[in-house]
Amino acid sequence: MSAFIDARSVPSGTVLQPDLAIIGGGPAGISLAMALASTPIRTVLLESGGMVFEPKTQKLYEGSQVGAPYQALDATRLRFLGGSTNHWGGWTRPMDRLDFEERAWMPYSGWPFGRAALERYYPRAQALCEAGPWLYDRAEKWPHEKEQTLALGDGGVTTRWFQFSKMRGSVLPTHFGERYGDDLKHIKRLSVYLHANATRLGLDASGAKINQIDMATLSGHKFTVKPKVTVLAMGAIEIARLMLASNDVAPDGVGNAHDLVGRFFADHPIPRDTATLVLFNGQLAPFYLNTQGMHGAIMRAGLFPSEDYRRKNAVMDSSTTIENNIDLDELGKAAVAATAAALGVDASSAQAYSLGCGMEVTPDPNRRFTLDSERDALGMRLKLHMRIADSDFAHFRETLKELGRQLLASRTGMLRLNLKERGEWLDGLDWGNHHMGTTRMHSDPRQGVVDANLQVHGISNLFVAGSSVYPTYSAANPTMNLVALTLRLADHLKGVLR
Ligand SMILES: Cc1cc2nc3c(=O)[nH]c(=O)nc-3n(C[C@H](O)[C@H](O)[C@H](O)COP(=O)(O)OP(=O)(O)OC[C@H]3O[C@@H](n4cnc5c(N)ncnc54)[C@H](O)[C@@H]3O)c2cc1C
C-alpha cells in the first residue's frame, strides 16, 4: 500500500516520467485509475486539492460571468479528491438511445456512436456509483400493491425512475475520494499526488504531441510531468481553462485549431414550480415525492417524455419531478371543481402538488468560456458567457401540455402551467451543476474537439475524460454516464499504451 504524495514535498525541478498522467481526481479520474489497476501501465494521478475542502485551493475555481444568471464558478464544483461528488446529490439515470442520435430538429446533435457502445460499461459504472442493482425502468412493478404509478393513459409522458448513489454504510451518496482512497493506495503502479495543480500543457514544436505538463503547488513548488499519454479529467470548466491557457505553442490554445474549446457549455436548468398538478382522488404514491428503498436500490419516480414522443414531436428531453403538496388558491379550487364536474369525477379529496424539472438545453456554440484578462495565483481565469434560449423553455412547456392532456384524458387530474414569459422561467432558476460540452466529441475535427476515442483531434497523446465531451446532453444526470464513458476510454488506453 503506497501513501498519497503531497506535491508540496516534491522538490522544485523534479521531472516525473510515467506512462500515463491523469489530471484531476474526481469520479472520472478515479474511475480511470481504478480501471487500469491490473495493467502494467505506470500512472500518476495529479489532483489539485487534498482530502478535504481548503478555501485557498477552492479559490482557484473563481471566474467571471456575463449573460443569463448562473452559479458562481467556485460554488458550482469542488476542488479536492473526489471532485464535485463530495457534495453531489447522487441522482443517476442512463441516457436513452435517442440521446445519441442525430435529430433534424436539434442542431449539432449526433454522437459518433450509439448507446450500445456504453452498454457493457454501465454495470461497472453503476457499481462504482453504488447505485444498487440496475433497475431503472424495469422497476415498473412496484412491490407494494397499494402504491401505484399515476394512471396517465396513452400519451407521450410516462413514469420512469431515478436511482440514487448511496455510499456503503452511509446515507450520503458516494464521495469518490473518501470511498475509493484506499483502493487507489493499493494500486501497485499508481502514484497519487495531492495539492498538485496542472498549470500548462506543453506541446512539442510540431504541435501534435504533449511533451510535458507544468505542475505547481500553492506553496510555490514547481515540477514537471513527462508522460507518454495524458488524460484531462478536471471537469468541463477546468479542462477548457487548461487547454485555452496553454497557448504558448498554439496561440489559440491546445486542441483549439477550430475555435471549439470552451464552446457548447451546457448544464441542466432546473426551473422551480413549473406547473401545479392536481390529482382528483388525492392519491399519490410516496415514491413520486421522496426516495424509497426497493430491491436493494434507492429510487424515485419522475415523469418523462418517452423517446417515441420526443422523436415524433421534435421535443428535447426533460425529467419532471413532483416536489411537494401545496394549497390551491380560490381560483385554483374553482377550476378543479369545474373541471371535475365536466369530467364527471369526484374531486372532494383532490390534492395539489408543485412540479419541478431538469431540462435538456439545445447545443449552443455561443454559450461558452473564454480566457479572462484576470489571473489567479496559478494562471489565467475564465469568463463564462451564459445563454439559454426561449425555445428550450418552449420544448419543456410542450411536454407539460402533453402531461396535462393525458391527465384529463384519463380523468386522473389536471395541470396548471405556471411559467410562460422568459422572466418567469429565469426567476429563481436553479441549475444541476452538471457541466458538459466544452470539448465536444465529433469525428470531424472541424466540429468536435475530441474524436470517438476521446482523443483530442490532432494531438496523438492527449485524451479527455468526463462530460465535457458530450455533444448533446440528455436530461439524464451525467455522472454515472461519464463514468461509463471513462471505463470505455480505459479499454482504449490499454491498447494505446500496450
Ligand atoms: C451540488 C452538486 C450536485 C450534483 N448532483 C449530481 C447528481 O445528483 N447526479 C449527477 O449525476 N451529478 C451531479 N452533480 C455533478 C457531478 O458532481 C459531476 O458530474 C462530476 O463530479 C464530474 O466528475 P469529473 O470527475 O468529470 O469532474 P470533477 O468532479 O469536477 O472533478 C475534477 C477534479 O479535478 C481536480 N482539478 C481541477 N483542476 C485541476 C488542475 N488544474 N490540476 C489538477 N487537478 C485539478 C479537482 O480538484 C477535482 O477533484 C452535482 C454537482 C454538484 C456541484
Side-chain angles (χ1 to χ4, degrees):
M1 179 148 158
S2 58
F4 292 161
I5 300 158
D6 189 330
R8 294 170 298 191
S9 66
V10 174
S12 280
T14 297
V15 179
L16 306 173
Q17 293 185 299
D19 296 322
L20 173 67
I22 303 170
I23 310 178
I30 289 175
S31 303
L32 182 59
M34 289 177 63
L36 297 174
S38 57
T39 69
I41 299 169
R42 294 171 302 114
T43 303
V44 295
L45 177 61
L46 304 159
E47 165 54 44
S48 165
M51 293 302 294
V52 294
F53 181 87
E54 291 164 43
K56 273 194 188 149
T57 303
Q58 185 66 21
K59 208 171 157 48
L60 296 169
Y61 267 164
E62 285 178 352
S64 58
Q65 52 188 286
V66 292
Y70 191 67
Q71 335 274 62
L73 297 186
D74 58 330
T76 183
R77 49 204 175 129
L78 281 178
R79 195 162 169 140
F80 62 100
L81 193 73
S84 291
T85 61
N86 286 299
H87 65 176
W88 72 319
W91 299 63
T92 63
R93 241 198 94 72
M95 290 184 180
D96 288 328
R97 275 190 301 276
L98 179 61
D99 294 321
F100 296 81
E101 290 172 14
E102 188 173 345
R103 284 147 281 173
W105 76 88
M106 198 195 285
Y108 307 103
S109 59
W111 291 46
F113 48 78
R115 180 176 140 153
L118 291 189
E119 219 66 71
R120 58 185 282 232
Y121 300 103
Y122 271 140
R124 264 158 73 209
Q126 174 89 347
L128 281 164
C129 290
E130 300 189 293
W134 188 274
L135 296 171
Y136 295 103
D137 299 333
R138 285 186 229 149
E140 268 159 23
K141 286 205 186 325
W142 189 255
H144 313 298
E145 263 177 30
K146 281 192 197 140
E147 298 171 356
Q148 297 297 330
T149 53
L150 284 173
L152 291 175
D154 286 342
V157 179
T158 59
T159 293
R160 299 179 76 184
W161 299 86
F162 296 101
Q163 289 191 212
F164 287 80
S165 163
K166 181 173 180 276
M167 189 144 73
R168 202 182 297 166
S170 156
V171 290
L172 293 170
T174 304
H175 297 178
F176 272 63
E178 189 183 339
R179 172 70 180 86
Y180 297 117
D182 278 347
D183 297 83
L184 295 177
K185 286 178 185 163
H186 278 102
I187 299 174
K188 230 178 170 177
R189 293 180 189 81
L190 172 72
S191 306
V192 178
Y193 288 78
L194 299 178
H195 300 110
N197 298 281
T199 57
R200 188 184 71 100
L201 299 170
L203 283 170
D204 71 3
S206 73
K209 238 180 152 187
I210 298 295
N211 64 4
Q212 75 170 60
I213 307 163
D214 292 350
M215 301 296 305
T217 69
L218 283 172
S219 57
H221 291 241
K222 292 200 158 109
F223 61 102
T224 305
V225 187
K226 296 189 174 207
K228 290 181 189 151
V229 167
T230 300
V231 176
L232 306 178
M234 304 96 81
I237 303 175
E238 219 52 19
I239 290 172
R241 162 153 112 158
L242 190 61
M243 291 178 82
L244 289 172
S246 301
N247 53 8
D248 52 334
V249 174
D252 295 322
V254 166
N256 199 24
H258 298 283
D259 187 21
L260 288 169
V261 174
R263 291 189 184 268
F264 294 97
F265 174 64
D267 194 341
H268 294 131
I270 304 184
R272 300 290 180 196
D273 199 22
T274 57
T276 303
L277 166 72
V278 175
L279 298 175
F280 294 136
N281 67 5
Q283 307 226 330
L284 181 66
F287 49 71
Y288 281 104
L289 284 171
N290 293 300
T291 56
Q292 307 280 322
M294 168 180 170
H295 301 316
I298 301 172
M299 308 199 65
R300 181 167 166 186
L303 299 167
F304 292 71
S306 68
E307 289 185 77
D308 226 27
Y309 171 77
R310 283 161 64 196
R311 194 176 276 120
K312 283 190 189 132
N313 294 279
V315 294
M316 318 249 294
D317 196 18
S318 58
S319 58
T320 295
T321 46
I322 304 178
E323 293 296 323
N324 49 309
N325 203 195
I326 53 170
D327 290 329
L328 284 174
D329 55 19
E330 290 310 313
L331 187 63
K333 283 181 194 158
V336 171
T339 310
L343 293 173
V345 294
D346 173 14
S348 55
S349 313
Q351 293 288 331
Y353 301 89
S354 165
L355 297 188
C357 133
M359 285 168 45
E360 181 178 28
V361 293
T362 321
D364 176 356
N366 294 318
R367 191 170 49 235
R368 66 182 299 202
F369 286 97
T370 54
L371 288 178
D372 202 356
S373 47
E374 279 181 39
R375 297 177 67 86
D376 64 22
L378 295 179
M380 307 290 292
R381 275 195 179 158
L382 282 185
K383 181 185 225 171
L384 169 62
H385 306 255
M386 196 57 186
R387 290 155 46 109
I388 179 163
D390 290 349
S391 54
D392 291 336
F393 298 127
H395 277 269
F396 177 56
R397 217 176 133 82
E398 284 310 305
T399 300
L400 284 178
K401 281 190 199 160
E402 171 70 357
L403 174 61
R405 190 196 62 71
Q406 287 173 250
L407 285 163
L408 290 177
S410 59
R411 306 195 321 159
T412 305
M414 58 189 282
L415 208 65
R416 184 179 69 194
L417 307 194
N418 296 333
L419 308 178
K420 193 164 183 213
E421 302 304 325
R422 181 178 175 80
E424 294 170 342
W425 287 98
L426 291 180
D427 190 25
L429 184 73
D430 211 346
W431 294 89
N433 304 289
H434 301 159
H435 310 139
M436 300 171 281
T438 55
T439 60
R440 71 194 309 267
M441 177 177 14
H442 202 286
S443 324
D444 176 356
R446 285 161 305 178
Q447 298 186 62
V449 176
V450 301
D451 67 15
N453 290 321
L454 309 185
Q455 185 206 309
V456 174
H457 281 293
I459 305 181
S460 58
N461 63 350
L462 184 63
F463 293 80
V464 177
S467 44
S468 64
V469 303
Y470 292 3
T472 53
Y473 322 110
S474 167
N477 311 81
T479 307
M480 196 274 291
N481 294 286
L482 78 82
V483 170
L485 200 53
T486 302
L487 298 176
R488 179 175 170 273
L489 171 63
D491 274 356
H492 179 70
L493 291 177
K494 284 177 199 166
V496 171
L497 282 161
R498 198 184 337 223

